[in-house]
Amino acid sequence: MPKVIYELPDGTSATVDVPVGTSVMDAAVNENLPGIDAECGGSCSCGTCHVHIDEAWYSVLGEPSDEERELLEFTAEYCERSRLSCQLVVTGECDGLRLTVPTREG
Ligand code: FES
């Protein structure tokens, strides 16, 4: 099962076994990881599942949709490696995927 490594806002990290077909957001919520609130439940409308993908992995995940990109640009911690974790479905190629959960303001 692919392992996804979450760098958390408190400086610790969590390595989670994520079944193929599960979103990075759902896996984080199942593990009660801090910083991924996922208020809309994964419908690409809240932006509270925002993460920064490690540089080596960004291109592996493909490009965000226009809808996702528009929402990302309104998030406070937006950067060029930003993604919404609810839109990232884990595949067999994701073993070792590393991402950072940004510290949220306010
Ligand atoms: S959970 Fe709301 S946009 Fe991802």
Side-chain angles (χ1 to χ4, degrees):
M1 196 180 301
K3 292 186 188 306
V4 177
I5 301 143
Y6 299 78
E7 303 286 351
L8 302 172
D10 66 0
T12 63
S13 67
T15 300
V16 179
D17 293 320
V18 183
V20 168
T22 301
S23 77
V24 170
M25 176 279 277
D26 278 326
V29 170
N30 288 343
E31 294 289 320
N32 288 318
L33 299 184
I36 297 185
D37 296 335
E39 287 170 8
C40 75
S43 61
C44 197
S45 60
C46 72
T48 61
C49 65
H50 176 201
V51 297
H52 296 160
I53 306 298
D54 239 48
E55 203 165 349
W57 282 95
Y58 187 84
S59 60
V60 175
L61 299 173
E63 288 295 312
S65 65
D66 290 346
E67 184 184 17
E68 180 183 345
R69 194 184 300 274
E70 281 170 23
L71 192 53
L72 281 169
E73 288 173 356
F74 283 103
T75 59
E77 310 84 6
Y78 176 74
C79 77
E80 69 277 2
R81 290 178 289 103
S82 289
R83 293 297 306 266
L84 296 177
S85 59
C86 68
Q87 302 301 301
L88 302 174
V89 176
V90 168
T91 68
E93 302 198 339
C94 291
D95 189 38
L97 170 63
R98 182 181 293 270
L99 52 89
T100 301
V101 180
T103 305
R104 308 216 189 280
E105 304 294 329

